[in-house]
PDB file of all heavy atoms in Angstrom:
ATOM      1  N   ALA A   1     -57.912  75.253  36.912  1.00  0.00           N
ATOM      2  CA  ALA A   1     -58.518  76.572  36.810  1.00  0.00           C
ATOM      3  C   ALA A   1     -59.739  76.480  35.707  1.00  0.00           C
ATOM      4  O   ALA A   1     -59.564  75.734  34.803  1.00  0.00           O
ATOM      5  CB  ALA A   1     -57.580  77.644  36.313  1.00  0.00           C
ATOM      6  N   PRO A   2     -60.815  77.166  35.955  1.00  0.00           N
ATOM      7  CA  PRO A   2     -61.043  78.152  37.025  1.00  0.00           C
ATOM      8  C   PRO A   2     -61.752  77.642  38.253  1.00  0.00           C
ATOM      9  O   PRO A   2     -62.481  78.360  38.900  1.00  0.00           O
ATOM     10  CB  PRO A   2     -61.934  79.203  36.304  1.00  0.00           C
ATOM     11  CG  PRO A   2     -62.794  78.313  35.421  1.00  0.00           C
ATOM     12  CD  PRO A   2     -61.920  77.147  35.021  1.00  0.00           C
ATOM     13  N   ARG A   3     -61.620  76.331  38.596  1.00  0.00           N
ATOM     14  CA  ARG A   3     -62.306  75.783  39.736  1.00  0.00           C
ATOM     15  C   ARG A   3     -61.803  76.423  41.010  1.00  0.00           C
ATOM     16  O   ARG A   3     -60.685  76.765  41.124  1.00  0.00           O
ATOM     17  CB  ARG A   3     -62.098  74.281  39.788  1.00  0.00           C
ATOM     18  CG  ARG A   3     -62.734  73.498  38.638  1.00  0.00           C
ATOM     19  CD  ARG A   3     -62.625  72.014  38.894  1.00  0.00           C
ATOM     20  NE  ARG A   3     -63.154  71.230  37.724  1.00  0.00           N
ATOM     21  CZ  ARG A   3     -63.110  69.871  37.690  1.00  0.00           C
ATOM     22  NH1 ARG A   3     -62.689  69.207  38.714  1.00  0.00           N
ATOM     23  NH2 ARG A   3     -63.675  69.284  36.600  1.00  0.00           N
ATOM     24  N   VAL A   4     -62.709  76.530  41.937  1.00  0.00           N
ATOM     25  CA  VAL A   4     -62.391  77.125  43.282  1.00  0.00           C
ATOM     26  C   VAL A   4     -61.833  76.008  44.209  1.00  0.00           C
ATOM     27  O   VAL A   4     -62.345  74.898  44.180  1.00  0.00           O
ATOM     28  CB  VAL A   4     -63.659  77.804  43.884  1.00  0.00           C
ATOM     29  CG1 VAL A   4     -63.415  78.183  45.311  1.00  0.00           C
ATOM     30  CG2 VAL A   4     -64.022  79.002  43.040  1.00  0.00           C
ATOM     31  N   MET A   5     -60.875  76.415  45.069  1.00  0.00           N
ATOM     32  CA  MET A   5     -60.479  75.485  46.104  1.00  0.00           C
ATOM     33  C   MET A   5     -61.129  75.895  47.441  1.00  0.00           C
ATOM     34  O   MET A   5     -61.011  77.047  47.875  1.00  0.00           O
ATOM     35  CB  MET A   5     -58.903  75.589  46.263  1.00  0.00           C
ATOM     36  CG  MET A   5     -58.107  74.910  45.207  1.00  0.00           C
ATOM     37  SD  MET A   5     -56.433  74.618  45.683  1.00  0.00           S
ATOM     38  CE  MET A   5     -56.636  73.477  47.041  1.00  0.00           C
ATOM     39  N   ASN A   6     -61.876  75.016  48.024  1.00  0.00           N
ATOM     40  CA  ASN A   6     -62.625  75.286  49.195  1.00  0.00           C
ATOM     41  C   ASN A   6     -61.903  74.967  50.461  1.00  0.00           C
ATOM     42  O   ASN A   6     -62.294  75.416  51.546  1.00  0.00           O
ATOM     43  CB  ASN A   6     -64.019  74.571  49.219  1.00  0.00           C
ATOM     44  CG  ASN A   6     -64.906  75.125  48.108  1.00  0.00           C
ATOM     45  OD1 ASN A   6     -64.957  76.334  47.899  1.00  0.00           O
ATOM     46  ND2 ASN A   6     -65.521  74.222  47.339  1.00  0.00           N
ATOM     47  N   TYR A   7     -60.837  74.133  50.429  1.00  0.00           N
ATOM     48  CA  TYR A   7     -60.146  73.710  51.634  1.00  0.00           C
ATOM     49  C   TYR A   7     -58.708  73.348  51.310  1.00  0.00           C
ATOM     50  O   TYR A   7     -58.330  73.317  50.173  1.00  0.00           O
ATOM     51  CB  TYR A   7     -60.912  72.523  52.344  1.00  0.00           C
ATOM     52  CG  TYR A   7     -61.294  71.411  51.387  1.00  0.00           C
ATOM     53  CD1 TYR A   7     -60.352  70.448  51.112  1.00  0.00           C
ATOM     54  CD2 TYR A   7     -62.578  71.364  50.786  1.00  0.00           C
ATOM     55  CE1 TYR A   7     -60.714  69.344  50.250  1.00  0.00           C
ATOM     56  CE2 TYR A   7     -62.899  70.301  49.960  1.00  0.00           C
ATOM     57  CZ  TYR A   7     -61.990  69.298  49.701  1.00  0.00           C
ATOM     58  OH  TYR A   7     -62.307  68.284  48.906  1.00  0.00           O
ATOM     59  N   TYR A   8     -58.016  72.992  52.414  1.00  0.00           N
ATOM     60  CA  TYR A   8     -56.585  72.579  52.331  1.00  0.00           C
ATOM     61  C   TYR A   8     -55.644  73.699  52.015  1.00  0.00           C
ATOM     62  O   TYR A   8     -54.478  73.519  51.671  1.00  0.00           O
ATOM     63  CB  TYR A   8     -56.372  71.431  51.246  1.00  0.00           C
ATOM     64  CG  TYR A   8     -56.828  70.108  51.626  1.00  0.00           C
ATOM     65  CD1 TYR A   8     -56.855  69.099  50.696  1.00  0.00           C
ATOM     66  CD2 TYR A   8     -57.327  69.830  52.927  1.00  0.00           C
ATOM     67  CE1 TYR A   8     -57.365  67.817  50.980  1.00  0.00           C
ATOM     68  CE2 TYR A   8     -57.780  68.590  53.223  1.00  0.00           C
ATOM     69  CZ  TYR A   8     -57.839  67.555  52.355  1.00  0.00           C
ATOM     70  OH  TYR A   8     -58.266  66.318  52.598  1.00  0.00           O
ATOM     71  N   TRP A   9     -56.144  74.979  52.046  1.00  0.00           N
ATOM     72  CA  TRP A   9     -55.208  76.062  51.736  1.00  0.00           C
ATOM     73  C   TRP A   9     -54.973  77.000  52.987  1.00  0.00           C
ATOM     74  O   TRP A   9     -54.092  77.903  52.881  1.00  0.00           O
ATOM     75  CB  TRP A   9     -55.737  76.890  50.582  1.00  0.00           C
ATOM     76  CG  TRP A   9     -57.190  77.351  50.674  1.00  0.00           C
ATOM     77  CD1 TRP A   9     -58.270  76.786  50.114  1.00  0.00           C
ATOM     78  CD2 TRP A   9     -57.722  78.493  51.407  1.00  0.00           C
ATOM     79  NE1 TRP A   9     -59.399  77.429  50.393  1.00  0.00           N
ATOM     80  CE2 TRP A   9     -59.129  78.524  51.191  1.00  0.00           C
ATOM     81  CE3 TRP A   9     -57.126  79.505  52.170  1.00  0.00           C
ATOM     82  CZ2 TRP A   9     -59.921  79.493  51.698  1.00  0.00           C
ATOM     83  CZ3 TRP A   9     -57.980  80.492  52.696  1.00  0.00           C
ATOM     84  CH2 TRP A   9     -59.322  80.473  52.471  1.00  0.00           C
ATOM     85  N   THR A  10     -55.695  76.810  54.095  1.00  0.00           N
ATOM     86  CA  THR A  10     -55.564  77.759  55.234  1.00  0.00           C
ATOM     87  C   THR A  10     -54.123  77.766  55.669  1.00  0.00           C
ATOM     88  O   THR A  10     -53.553  78.852  55.997  1.00  0.00           O
ATOM     89  CB  THR A  10     -56.555  77.333  56.320  1.00  0.00           C
ATOM     90  OG1 THR A  10     -57.785  77.071  55.803  1.00  0.00           O
ATOM     91  CG2 THR A  10     -56.635  78.389  57.380  1.00  0.00           C
ATOM     92  N   TYR A  11     -53.462  76.598  55.830  1.00  0.00           N
ATOM     93  CA  TYR A  11     -52.109  76.534  56.301  1.00  0.00           C
ATOM     94  C   TYR A  11     -51.160  77.483  55.543  1.00  0.00           C
ATOM     95  O   TYR A  11     -50.195  77.993  56.063  1.00  0.00           O
ATOM     96  CB  TYR A  11     -51.633  75.090  56.285  1.00  0.00           C
ATOM     97  CG  TYR A  11     -50.150  74.917  56.389  1.00  0.00           C
ATOM     98  CD1 TYR A  11     -49.488  74.830  57.589  1.00  0.00           C
ATOM     99  CD2 TYR A  11     -49.341  74.839  55.214  1.00  0.00           C
ATOM    100  CE1 TYR A  11     -48.091  74.720  57.670  1.00  0.00           C
ATOM    101  CE2 TYR A  11     -47.962  74.716  55.257  1.00  0.00           C
ATOM    102  CZ  TYR A  11     -47.326  74.673  56.499  1.00  0.00           C
ATOM    103  OH  TYR A  11     -45.966  74.490  56.541  1.00  0.00           O
ATOM    104  N   PHE A  12     -51.426  77.603  54.211  1.00  0.00           N
ATOM    105  CA  PHE A  12     -50.470  78.248  53.335  1.00  0.00           C
ATOM    106  C   PHE A  12     -50.593  79.803  53.317  1.00  0.00           C
ATOM    107  O   PHE A  12     -49.835  80.475  52.617  1.00  0.00           O
ATOM    108  CB  PHE A  12     -50.605  77.776  51.913  1.00  0.00           C
ATOM    109  CG  PHE A  12     -50.270  76.270  51.803  1.00  0.00           C
ATOM    110  CD1 PHE A  12     -51.329  75.364  51.690  1.00  0.00           C
ATOM    111  CD2 PHE A  12     -49.019  75.816  51.723  1.00  0.00           C
ATOM    112  CE1 PHE A  12     -51.086  73.996  51.563  1.00  0.00           C
ATOM    113  CE2 PHE A  12     -48.721  74.481  51.619  1.00  0.00           C
ATOM    114  CZ  PHE A  12     -49.727  73.570  51.506  1.00  0.00           C
ATOM    115  N   LEU A  13     -51.559  80.319  54.130  1.00  0.00           N
ATOM    116  CA  LEU A  13     -51.730  81.816  54.057  1.00  0.00           C
ATOM    117  C   LEU A  13     -50.497  82.597  54.554  1.00  0.00           C
ATOM    118  O   LEU A  13     -50.132  83.563  54.006  1.00  0.00           O
ATOM    119  CB  LEU A  13     -52.999  82.173  54.883  1.00  0.00           C
ATOM    120  CG  LEU A  13     -54.335  81.870  54.229  1.00  0.00           C
ATOM    121  CD1 LEU A  13     -55.474  82.053  55.209  1.00  0.00           C
ATOM    122  CD2 LEU A  13     -54.506  82.830  52.978  1.00  0.00           C
ATOM    123  N   LEU A  14     -49.862  82.099  55.600  1.00  0.00           N
ATOM    124  CA  LEU A  14     -48.713  82.783  56.108  1.00  0.00           C
ATOM    125  C   LEU A  14     -47.547  82.812  55.104  1.00  0.00           C
ATOM    126  O   LEU A  14     -47.080  83.893  54.772  1.00  0.00           O
ATOM    127  CB  LEU A  14     -48.257  82.197  57.406  1.00  0.00           C
ATOM    128  CG  LEU A  14     -47.001  82.899  58.074  1.00  0.00           C
ATOM    129  CD1 LEU A  14     -47.246  84.353  58.382  1.00  0.00           C
ATOM    130  CD2 LEU A  14     -46.564  82.103  59.270  1.00  0.00           C
ATOM    131  N   PRO A  15     -47.024  81.639  54.653  1.00  0.00           N
ATOM    132  CA  PRO A  15     -45.924  81.780  53.689  1.00  0.00           C
ATOM    133  C   PRO A  15     -46.318  82.480  52.371  1.00  0.00           C
ATOM    134  O   PRO A  15     -45.481  83.180  51.833  1.00  0.00           O
ATOM    135  CB  PRO A  15     -45.571  80.267  53.445  1.00  0.00           C
ATOM    136  CG  PRO A  15     -46.810  79.469  53.837  1.00  0.00           C
ATOM    137  CD  PRO A  15     -47.361  80.292  54.971  1.00  0.00           C
ATOM    138  N   SER A  16     -47.521  82.379  51.932  1.00  0.00           N
ATOM    139  CA  SER A  16     -47.916  83.073  50.713  1.00  0.00           C
ATOM    140  C   SER A  16     -48.022  84.567  50.894  1.00  0.00           C
ATOM    141  O   SER A  16     -47.556  85.322  50.044  1.00  0.00           O
ATOM    142  CB  SER A  16     -49.279  82.577  50.200  1.00  0.00           C
ATOM    143  OG  SER A  16     -50.288  82.851  51.080  1.00  0.00           O
ATOM    144  N   ALA A  17     -48.521  84.991  52.062  1.00  0.00           N
ATOM    145  CA  ALA A  17     -48.568  86.435  52.381  1.00  0.00           C
ATOM    146  C   ALA A  17     -47.190  87.050  52.521  1.00  0.00           C
ATOM    147  O   ALA A  17     -46.939  88.159  52.087  1.00  0.00           O
ATOM    148  CB  ALA A  17     -49.418  86.686  53.639  1.00  0.00           C
ATOM    149  N   VAL A  18     -46.292  86.302  53.236  1.00  0.00           N
ATOM    150  CA  VAL A  18     -44.940  86.763  53.397  1.00  0.00           C
ATOM    151  C   VAL A  18     -44.217  86.853  52.048  1.00  0.00           C
ATOM    152  O   VAL A  18     -43.528  87.845  51.754  1.00  0.00           O
ATOM    153  CB  VAL A  18     -44.151  85.891  54.340  1.00  0.00           C
ATOM    154  CG1 VAL A  18     -42.702  86.228  54.416  1.00  0.00           C
ATOM    155  CG2 VAL A  18     -44.757  85.925  55.775  1.00  0.00           C
ATOM    156  N   ALA A  19     -44.386  85.855  51.209  1.00  0.00           N
ATOM    157  CA  ALA A  19     -43.747  85.883  49.914  1.00  0.00           C
ATOM    158  C   ALA A  19     -44.253  86.965  48.964  1.00  0.00           C
ATOM    159  O   ALA A  19     -43.455  87.495  48.201  1.00  0.00           O
ATOM    160  CB  ALA A  19     -43.850  84.526  49.255  1.00  0.00           C
ATOM    161  N   SER A  20     -45.493  87.342  49.192  1.00  0.00           N
ATOM    162  CA  SER A  20     -46.083  88.298  48.258  1.00  0.00           C
ATOM    163  C   SER A  20     -46.025  89.666  48.792  1.00  0.00           C
ATOM    164  O   SER A  20     -45.727  90.669  47.991  1.00  0.00           O
ATOM    165  CB  SER A  20     -47.559  88.003  47.969  1.00  0.00           C
ATOM    166  OG  SER A  20     -47.714  86.761  47.270  1.00  0.00           O
ATOM    167  N   ALA A  21     -46.149  89.900  50.100  1.00  0.00           N
ATOM    168  CA  ALA A  21     -46.259  91.278  50.680  1.00  0.00           C
ATOM    169  C   ALA A  21     -45.061  91.557  51.611  1.00  0.00           C
ATOM    170  O   ALA A  21     -44.966  92.690  52.123  1.00  0.00           O
ATOM    171  CB  ALA A  21     -47.534  91.444  51.457  1.00  0.00           C
ATOM    172  N   GLY A  22     -44.210  90.601  51.834  1.00  0.00           N
ATOM    173  CA  GLY A  22     -43.040  90.789  52.766  1.00  0.00           C
ATOM    174  C   GLY A  22     -41.920  91.563  52.065  1.00  0.00           C
ATOM    175  O   GLY A  22     -42.077  91.972  50.905  1.00  0.00           O
ATOM    176  N   PRO A  23     -40.872  91.797  52.797  1.00  0.00           N
ATOM    177  CA  PRO A  23     -39.720  92.513  52.193  1.00  0.00           C
ATOM    178  C   PRO A  23     -39.078  91.667  51.071  1.00  0.00           C
ATOM    179  O   PRO A  23     -39.316  90.422  51.011  1.00  0.00           O
ATOM    180  CB  PRO A  23     -38.727  92.629  53.346  1.00  0.00           C
ATOM    181  CG  PRO A  23     -39.162  91.631  54.396  1.00  0.00           C
ATOM    182  CD  PRO A  23     -40.675  91.428  54.189  1.00  0.00           C
ATOM    183  N   PRO A  24     -38.426  92.319  50.126  1.00  0.00           N
ATOM    184  CA  PRO A  24     -37.875  91.618  48.939  1.00  0.00           C
ATOM    185  C   PRO A  24     -37.074  90.379  49.208  1.00  0.00           C
ATOM    186  O   PRO A  24     -37.228  89.401  48.464  1.00  0.00           O
ATOM    187  CB  PRO A  24     -37.034  92.702  48.262  1.00  0.00           C
ATOM    188  CG  PRO A  24     -37.683  94.019  48.659  1.00  0.00           C
ATOM    189  CD  PRO A  24     -38.177  93.814  50.096  1.00  0.00           C
ATOM    190  N   PRO A  25     -36.284  90.304  50.253  1.00  0.00           N
ATOM    191  CA  PRO A  25     -35.516  89.005  50.445  1.00  0.00           C
ATOM    192  C   PRO A  25     -36.408  87.825  50.680  1.00  0.00           C
ATOM    193  O   PRO A  25     -35.893  86.714  50.507  1.00  0.00           O
ATOM    194  CB  PRO A  25     -34.644  89.365  51.763  1.00  0.00           C
ATOM    195  CG  PRO A  25     -34.569  90.817  51.741  1.00  0.00           C
ATOM    196  CD  PRO A  25     -35.840  91.333  51.206  1.00  0.00           C
ATOM    197  N   LEU A  26     -37.618  88.044  51.015  1.00  0.00           N
ATOM    198  CA  LEU A  26     -38.551  86.885  51.302  1.00  0.00           C
ATOM    199  C   LEU A  26     -39.508  86.548  50.169  1.00  0.00           C
ATOM    200  O   LEU A  26     -40.458  85.785  50.351  1.00  0.00           O
ATOM    201  CB  LEU A  26     -39.387  87.241  52.535  1.00  0.00           C
ATOM    202  CG  LEU A  26     -38.602  87.288  53.867  1.00  0.00           C
ATOM    203  CD1 LEU A  26     -39.490  87.794  54.941  1.00  0.00           C
ATOM    204  CD2 LEU A  26     -38.090  85.956  54.204  1.00  0.00           C
ATOM    205  N   HIS A  27     -39.227  87.102  48.945  1.00  0.00           N
ATOM    206  CA  HIS A  27     -40.135  86.917  47.896  1.00  0.00           C
ATOM    207  C   HIS A  27     -40.007  85.539  47.158  1.00  0.00           C
ATOM    208  O   HIS A  27     -40.686  85.238  46.238  1.00  0.00           O
ATOM    209  CB  HIS A  27     -39.991  88.013  46.799  1.00  0.00           C
ATOM    210  CG  HIS A  27     -40.566  89.280  47.248  1.00  0.00           C
ATOM    211  ND1 HIS A  27     -40.559  90.509  46.529  1.00  0.00           N
ATOM    212  CD2 HIS A  27     -41.220  89.587  48.439  1.00  0.00           C
ATOM    213  CE1 HIS A  27     -41.159  91.471  47.212  1.00  0.00           C
ATOM    214  NE2 HIS A  27     -41.587  90.930  48.388  1.00  0.00           N
ATOM    215  N   ASP A  28     -39.067  84.673  47.635  1.00  0.00           N
ATOM    216  CA  ASP A  28     -38.955  83.303  47.113  1.00  0.00           C
ATOM    217  C   ASP A  28     -39.990  82.423  47.857  1.00  0.00           C
ATOM    218  O   ASP A  28     -39.726  82.035  49.052  1.00  0.00           O
ATOM    219  CB  ASP A  28     -37.516  82.778  47.345  1.00  0.00           C
ATOM    220  CG  ASP A  28     -37.311  81.409  46.738  1.00  0.00           C
ATOM    221  OD1 ASP A  28     -38.299  80.753  46.433  1.00  0.00           O
ATOM    222  OD2 ASP A  28     -36.181  80.981  46.722  1.00  0.00           O
ATOM    223  N   VAL A  29     -41.065  82.154  47.202  1.00  0.00           N
ATOM    224  CA  VAL A  29     -42.145  81.386  47.872  1.00  0.00           C
ATOM    225  C   VAL A  29     -41.695  80.000  48.330  1.00  0.00           C
ATOM    226  O   VAL A  29     -42.136  79.495  49.353  1.00  0.00           O
ATOM    227  CB  VAL A  29     -43.359  81.299  47.005  1.00  0.00           C
ATOM    228  CG1 VAL A  29     -43.177  80.534  45.763  1.00  0.00           C
ATOM    229  CG2 VAL A  29     -44.596  80.848  47.730  1.00  0.00           C
ATOM    230  N   GLN A  30     -40.831  79.382  47.540  1.00  0.00           N
ATOM    231  CA  GLN A  30     -40.352  78.011  47.917  1.00  0.00           C
ATOM    232  C   GLN A  30     -39.598  78.039  49.199  1.00  0.00           C
ATOM    233  O   GLN A  30     -39.662  77.133  49.999  1.00  0.00           O
ATOM    234  CB  GLN A  30     -39.613  77.428  46.780  1.00  0.00           C
ATOM    235  CG  GLN A  30     -40.436  77.068  45.578  1.00  0.00           C
ATOM    236  CD  GLN A  30     -39.785  76.127  44.595  1.00  0.00           C
ATOM    237  OE1 GLN A  30     -38.621  75.778  44.738  1.00  0.00           O
ATOM    238  NE2 GLN A  30     -40.546  75.710  43.613  1.00  0.00           N
ATOM    239  N   ALA A  31     -38.714  79.108  49.382  1.00  0.00           N
ATOM    240  CA  ALA A  31     -37.916  79.204  50.615  1.00  0.00           C
ATOM    241  C   ALA A  31     -38.875  79.405  51.768  1.00  0.00           C
ATOM    242  O   ALA A  31     -38.621  78.802  52.831  1.00  0.00           O
ATOM    243  CB  ALA A  31     -36.973  80.325  50.490  1.00  0.00           C
ATOM    244  N   CYS A  32     -39.907  80.188  51.588  1.00  0.00           N
ATOM    245  CA  CYS A  32     -40.884  80.434  52.669  1.00  0.00           C
ATOM    246  C   CYS A  32     -41.585  79.080  53.043  1.00  0.00           C
ATOM    247  O   CYS A  32     -41.804  78.791  54.182  1.00  0.00           O
ATOM    248  CB  CYS A  32     -41.875  81.479  52.297  1.00  0.00           C
ATOM    249  SG  CYS A  32     -41.198  83.137  52.067  1.00  0.00           S
ATOM    250  N   LEU A  33     -41.956  78.351  52.009  1.00  0.00           N
ATOM    251  CA  LEU A  33     -42.635  77.084  52.276  1.00  0.00           C
ATOM    252  C   LEU A  33     -41.783  76.086  52.986  1.00  0.00           C
ATOM    253  O   LEU A  33     -42.283  75.413  53.927  1.00  0.00           O
ATOM    254  CB  LEU A  33     -43.154  76.472  50.920  1.00  0.00           C
ATOM    255  CG  LEU A  33     -44.283  77.148  50.235  1.00  0.00           C
ATOM    256  CD1 LEU A  33     -44.453  76.593  48.837  1.00  0.00           C
ATOM    257  CD2 LEU A  33     -45.574  77.041  51.010  1.00  0.00           C
ATOM    258  N   LYS A  34     -40.502  75.980  52.643  1.00  0.00           N
ATOM    259  CA  LYS A  34     -39.649  75.030  53.312  1.00  0.00           C
ATOM    260  C   LYS A  34     -39.421  75.395  54.779  1.00  0.00           C
ATOM    261  O   LYS A  34     -39.478  74.490  55.694  1.00  0.00           O
ATOM    262  CB  LYS A  34     -38.253  74.958  52.532  1.00  0.00           C
ATOM    263  CG  LYS A  34     -38.390  74.254  51.235  1.00  0.00           C
ATOM    264  CD  LYS A  34     -36.995  74.057  50.599  1.00  0.00           C
ATOM    265  CE  LYS A  34     -36.368  75.340  50.057  1.00  0.00           C
ATOM    266  NZ  LYS A  34     -35.163  75.117  49.323  1.00  0.00           N
ATOM    267  N   THR A  35     -39.129  76.635  55.005  1.00  0.00           N
ATOM    268  CA  THR A  35     -38.877  77.100  56.384  1.00  0.00           C
ATOM    269  C   THR A  35     -40.150  76.824  57.280  1.00  0.00           C
ATOM    270  O   THR A  35     -40.139  76.444  58.378  1.00  0.00           O
ATOM    271  CB  THR A  35     -38.390  78.536  56.446  1.00  0.00           C
ATOM    272  OG1 THR A  35     -37.362  78.680  55.453  1.00  0.00           O
ATOM    273  CG2 THR A  35     -37.924  78.890  57.839  1.00  0.00           C
ATOM    274  N   ASN A  36     -41.303  77.280  56.714  1.00  0.00           N
ATOM    275  CA  ASN A  36     -42.550  77.123  57.380  1.00  0.00           C
ATOM    276  C   ASN A  36     -42.878  75.647  57.745  1.00  0.00           C
ATOM    277  O   ASN A  36     -43.304  75.354  58.873  1.00  0.00           O
ATOM    278  CB  ASN A  36     -43.679  77.702  56.559  1.00  0.00           C
ATOM    279  CG  ASN A  36     -44.829  78.134  57.364  1.00  0.00           C
ATOM    280  OD1 ASN A  36     -44.960  79.243  57.897  1.00  0.00           O
ATOM    281  ND2 ASN A  36     -45.861  77.274  57.498  1.00  0.00           N
ATOM    282  N   ALA A  37     -42.620  74.767  56.804  1.00  0.00           N
ATOM    283  CA  ALA A  37     -42.869  73.302  57.059  1.00  0.00           C
ATOM    284  C   ALA A  37     -41.948  72.863  58.167  1.00  0.00           C
ATOM    285  O   ALA A  37     -42.402  72.083  58.976  1.00  0.00           O
ATOM    286  CB  ALA A  37     -42.734  72.544  55.781  1.00  0.00           C
ATOM    287  N   PHE A  38     -40.725  73.213  58.138  1.00  0.00           N
ATOM    288  CA  PHE A  38     -39.777  72.765  59.129  1.00  0.00           C
ATOM    289  C   PHE A  38     -40.214  73.186  60.539  1.00  0.00           C
ATOM    290  O   PHE A  38     -40.227  72.386  61.477  1.00  0.00           O
ATOM    291  CB  PHE A  38     -38.375  73.281  58.805  1.00  0.00           C
ATOM    292  CG  PHE A  38     -37.353  73.178  59.917  1.00  0.00           C
ATOM    293  CD1 PHE A  38     -37.083  71.893  60.420  1.00  0.00           C
ATOM    294  CD2 PHE A  38     -36.755  74.212  60.437  1.00  0.00           C
ATOM    295  CE1 PHE A  38     -36.147  71.739  61.433  1.00  0.00           C
ATOM    296  CE2 PHE A  38     -35.808  74.110  61.439  1.00  0.00           C
ATOM    297  CZ  PHE A  38     -35.477  72.827  61.950  1.00  0.00           C
ATOM    298  N   LEU A  39     -40.517  74.443  60.702  1.00  0.00           N
ATOM    299  CA  LEU A  39     -40.925  75.006  62.013  1.00  0.00           C
ATOM    300  C   LEU A  39     -42.222  74.376  62.461  1.00  0.00           C
ATOM    301  O   LEU A  39     -42.342  74.112  63.643  1.00  0.00           O
ATOM    302  CB  LEU A  39     -40.944  76.508  61.942  1.00  0.00           C
ATOM    303  CG  LEU A  39     -39.648  77.193  61.568  1.00  0.00           C
ATOM    304  CD1 LEU A  39     -39.824  78.720  61.371  1.00  0.00           C
ATOM    305  CD2 LEU A  39     -38.654  76.951  62.656  1.00  0.00           C
ATOM    306  N   SER A  40     -43.167  74.206  61.540  1.00  0.00           N
ATOM    307  CA  SER A  40     -44.444  73.624  61.973  1.00  0.00           C
ATOM    308  C   SER A  40     -44.283  72.120  62.352  1.00  0.00           C
ATOM    309  O   SER A  40     -44.938  71.629  63.250  1.00  0.00           O
ATOM    310  CB  SER A  40     -45.453  73.638  60.791  1.00  0.00           C
ATOM    311  OG  SER A  40     -45.718  75.019  60.470  1.00  0.00           O
ATOM    312  N   GLY A  41     -43.265  71.414  61.722  1.00  0.00           N
ATOM    313  CA  GLY A  41     -43.011  70.075  62.110  1.00  0.00           C
ATOM    314  C   GLY A  41     -42.507  69.957  63.524  1.00  0.00           C
ATOM    315  O   GLY A  41     -42.832  68.997  64.292  1.00  0.00           O
ATOM    316  N   LEU A  42     -41.726  70.959  63.992  1.00  0.00           N
ATOM    317  CA  LEU A  42     -41.240  70.973  65.401  1.00  0.00           C
ATOM    318  C   LEU A  42     -42.432  71.048  66.309  1.00  0.00           C
ATOM    319  O   LEU A  42     -42.459  70.307  67.361  1.00  0.00           O
ATOM    320  CB  LEU A  42     -40.297  72.154  65.589  1.00  0.00           C
ATOM    321  CG  LEU A  42     -38.920  72.041  64.945  1.00  0.00           C
ATOM    322  CD1 LEU A  42     -38.183  73.429  65.030  1.00  0.00           C
ATOM    323  CD2 LEU A  42     -38.062  70.958  65.593  1.00  0.00           C
ATOM    324  N   LEU A  43     -43.381  71.870  66.049  1.00  0.00           N
ATOM    325  CA  LEU A  43     -44.542  72.026  66.893  1.00  0.00           C
ATOM    326  C   LEU A  43     -45.411  70.790  66.883  1.00  0.00           C
ATOM    327  O   LEU A  43     -45.893  70.339  67.934  1.00  0.00           O
ATOM    328  CB  LEU A  43     -45.437  73.243  66.425  1.00  0.00           C
ATOM    329  CG  LEU A  43     -44.833  74.625  66.681  1.00  0.00           C
ATOM    330  CD1 LEU A  43     -45.766  75.666  66.070  1.00  0.00           C
ATOM    331  CD2 LEU A  43     -44.664  74.834  68.178  1.00  0.00           C
ATOM    332  N   MET A  44     -45.518  70.093  65.759  1.00  0.00           N
ATOM    333  CA  MET A  44     -46.291  68.906  65.684  1.00  0.00           C
ATOM    334  C   MET A  44     -45.696  67.793  66.547  1.00  0.00           C
ATOM    335  O   MET A  44     -46.385  67.181  67.316  1.00  0.00           O
ATOM    336  CB  MET A  44     -46.410  68.459  64.255  1.00  0.00           C
ATOM    337  CG  MET A  44     -47.284  67.171  64.086  1.00  0.00           C
ATOM    338  SD  MET A  44     -46.420  65.610  64.324  1.00  0.00           S
ATOM    339  CE  MET A  44     -47.822  64.473  64.161  1.00  0.00           C
TER     340      MET A  44
END
């Protein structure tokens, strides 16, 4: 900080938005990241 990140963050928008604006049970950002990575791995 305070440098700006210009790339490598697009993938993380979904888990970060869910952890911040989702229902309270989903506010654990690490749990969202783990589940998101697992499901994305299946698609890959």
Side-chain angles (χ1 to χ4, degrees):
R3 295 187 184 180
V4 170
M5 285 196 67
N6 293 315
Y7 49 84
Y8 287 171
W9 50 262
T10 312
Y11 162 87
F12 297 101
L13 283 170
L14 178 63
S16 65
V18 172
S20 294
L26 291 172
H27 286 180
D28 184 346
V29 67
Q30 292 195 353
C32 293
L33 287 170
K34 287 188 286 186
T35 311
N36 203 85
F38 167 59
L39 298 172
S40 298
L42 289 168
L43 287 177
M44 184 273 176

